[in-house]
Amino acid sequence: MGADSYLMVGKGNPAFCNSASHGAGRIRSRFDLNRKGASESEAELGLTGVDCITLRQERRIEEAPAAYKPIQSVIDVQVEAEMVDIVARLSPVLTFKA
């Protein structure tokens, strides 16, 4: 919810099973954030300047930017390996978490 997203087109490379990664993965589990996240500041969770609409407030903490690994190195590796081409980089303005 805090990092840029990428719109990419796959190159159908059979060496990579005609596939690509959809993200970098989590660095902190939802369980960990539910237990400890509420005691952390907005800045520590990476929520400063992030607009998020949610029906369940705990979802905002579970999906905080601090829960995820940085994506840029994953994007760079896939472009260099000729798995994908970048079409657009999208910066979040508003996030909705159900």
Side-chain angles (χ1 to χ4, degrees):
M1 91 171 69
D4 290 345
S5 296
Y6 290 83
L7 175 61
M8 301 187 297
V9 61
K11 292 187 168 187
N13 190 328
F16 302 107
C17 299
N18 300 318
S19 188
S21 174
H22 72 278
R26 295 182 73 90
I27 197 165
R28 294 182 65 186
S29 71
R30 286 179 179 84
F31 178 76
D32 177 54
L33 286 163
N34 275 330
R35 241 180 347 153
K36 300 176 187 170
S39 64
E40 295 179 37
S41 72
E42 296 255 321
E44 289 172 317
L45 293 170
L47 292 169
T48 305
V50 175
D51 289 324
C52 178
I53 298 170
T54 182
L55 301 174
R56 295 176 30 221
Q57 194 57 34
E58 67 270 16
R59 294 287 290 156
R60 185 168 184 259
I61 293 172
E62 290 173 355
E63 297 297 324
Y68 291 92
K69 298 174 189 172
I71 189 67
Q72 192 59 55
S73 62
V74 175
I75 300 300
D76 293 343
V77 166
Q78 292 181 109
V79 169
E80 288 174 28
E82 298 185 355
M83 297 170 71
V84 297
D85 281 326
I86 297 173
V87 175
R89 187 176 89 191
L90 311 167
S91 296
V93 176
L94 180 68
T95 304
F96 175 76
K97 301 291 180 188

